[in-house]
Amino acid sequence: MRGLIGKRVLVSGGSSGIGLAAARRFLEEGCRVFVGGLDAAEVRQAVTELRPYGEVSGFAADVSLVEGANALVDAAAEALGCIDVLANNAGIAWREPFLEITPEHFDRMLAVNLRGMFLVAQAVGRHMIGRGGGAIVNMSSTNGIAGEEDYAHYNASKGGVLLLGKTMAVELGRYGIRVNTLCPGYIRTPLNASIAGAMTDGEFEASHVADRIPLGRAGLAEEVAAAYAFLASEDAAFVHGAELVVDGGQLAVM
Ligand code: NAP
């Protein structure tokens, strides 16, 4: 990808799954990377795993809290010198029928997936304005575009992320900050392994996933990481306010 060498990248939720793969991809592209995560041991483990690929450090904080989001962005800015790229990736998901979702569960889903994304993006946006621009990629989902059964709270949070990103693009373009949104479909990660419950990844994908995806398989975290790298790069210099679907054709099915 053009224009990524030397860029300083914050990957929230960079200690696992898609975020971990994105952190590695940015390192391989010649970037310096700072990873966030909720659990300090997970973040330490990720930094150790990523170190062979380049210059990386990390910090654990809860992005759903104002103090947590600000502490993460401050720590990244201090470690990297500044932030050129934000992969705004941290998120949670679990299955629950609409009629059984408690207000507390609804609030937690929205707090991490929508409020957390807003808090980190706002802190980074303010930082980027001070230094003349940057690129922000927010993580939504195909679930932000279509309603999957048993995910009402998750779908609502990811739908919110889509319009948060479009509005950020409208307001931040004038500062040289490009804002785009990623919408992956079913990607094989620890998050989905937890949703698969007692089934193996393979069993769950065969029974719940493969027949809904024209390419006939789940996606890989590395395939979403490539989309992060593209949207952050100079190759996407005129891509702004867009959503990029990475779903093996799932949303193309009627
Ligand atoms: P994952 O493996 O569970 O990784 C989630 C990451 O977010 C971890 O680093 C986790 O940190 C962090 N995180 C969770 N809650 C946090 C909080 N309150 N504060 C700070 N960090 C927090 O999940 P994934 O599948 O890679 O998902 C990454 C993103 O992609 C999410 O936004 C998800 O909604 C989105 N997505 C995933 C899929 C998919 O099929 N997997 C599809 C579409 C979109 P800890 O490990 O310390 O908890």
Side-chain angles (χ1 to χ4, degrees):
M1 303 288 169
R2 284 188 308 136
L4 280 180
I5 292 174
K7 292 287 187 215
R8 290 148 291 195
V9 182
L10 167 58
V11 183
S12 80
S15 59
S16 173
I18 293 169
L20 183 61
R24 179 174 162 178
R25 176 62 188 256
F26 281 118
L27 288 170
E28 288 171 340
E29 293 281 352
C31 302
R32 291 165 56 200
V33 172
F34 193 89
V35 293
L38 185 58
D39 182 88
E42 294 270 330
V43 172
R44 275 197 301 277
Q45 165 70 26
V47 168
T48 304
E49 224 173 281
L50 290 166
R51 208 152 262 151
Y53 301 96
E55 195 180 326
V56 59
S57 50
F59 185 79
D62 186 341
V63 296
S64 70
L65 305 174
V66 176
E67 317 82 63
N70 286 340
L72 174 67
V73 174
D74 287 348
E78 194 181 326
L80 298 171
C82 75
I83 301 167
D84 302 302
V85 172
L86 168 64
N88 203 3
N89 177 79
I92 53 175
W94 66 86
R95 297 177 71 96
E96 211 166 19
F98 170 71
L99 294 176
E100 293 172 20
I101 296 172
T102 62
E104 292 74 22
H105 280 188
F106 187 83
D107 285 351
R108 185 62 189 157
M109 191 72 83
L110 273 283
V112 178
N113 289 1
L114 184 55
R115 185 176 199 258
M117 203 140 296
F118 156 72
L119 290 172
V120 173
Q122 189 185 58
V124 169
R126 287 173 175 157
H127 166 87
M128 284 177 170
I129 286 172
R131 52 166 308 280
I136 295 177
V137 184
N138 291 329
M139 175 54 89
S140 177
S141 167
T142 47
N143 291 53
I145 298 173
E148 184 177 4
E149 188 175 356
D150 290 345
Y151 284 101
H153 41 14
Y154 182 73
N155 300 342
S157 71
K158 293 299 185 180
V161 170
L162 265 185
L163 274 174
L164 176 71
K166 285 195 186 297
T167 316
M168 285 169 58
V170 171
E171 295 192 27
L172 300 183
R174 71 186 70 123
Y175 301 107
I177 303 173
R178 283 191 307 105
V179 184
N180 290 291
T181 304
L182 269 178
C183 297
Y186 189 93
I187 310 299
R188 199 176 294 165
T189 67
L191 185 148
N192 273 329
S194 70
I195 289 169
M199 287 188 239
T200 64
D201 284 352
E203 286 164 351
F204 186 77
E205 284 169 29
S207 60
H208 286 74
V209 179
D211 62 343
R212 292 161 45 202
I213 300 178
L215 286 184
R217 65 172 176 86
L220 304 177
E222 292 73 19
E223 292 168 323
V224 184
Y228 262 129
F230 167 66
L231 289 174
S233 78
E234 284 301 311
D235 287 323
F238 202 55
V239 183
H240 183 56
E243 62 260 359
L244 179 54
V245 174
V246 184
D247 72 344
Q250 190 180 332
L251 283 185
V253 179
M254 222 178 88

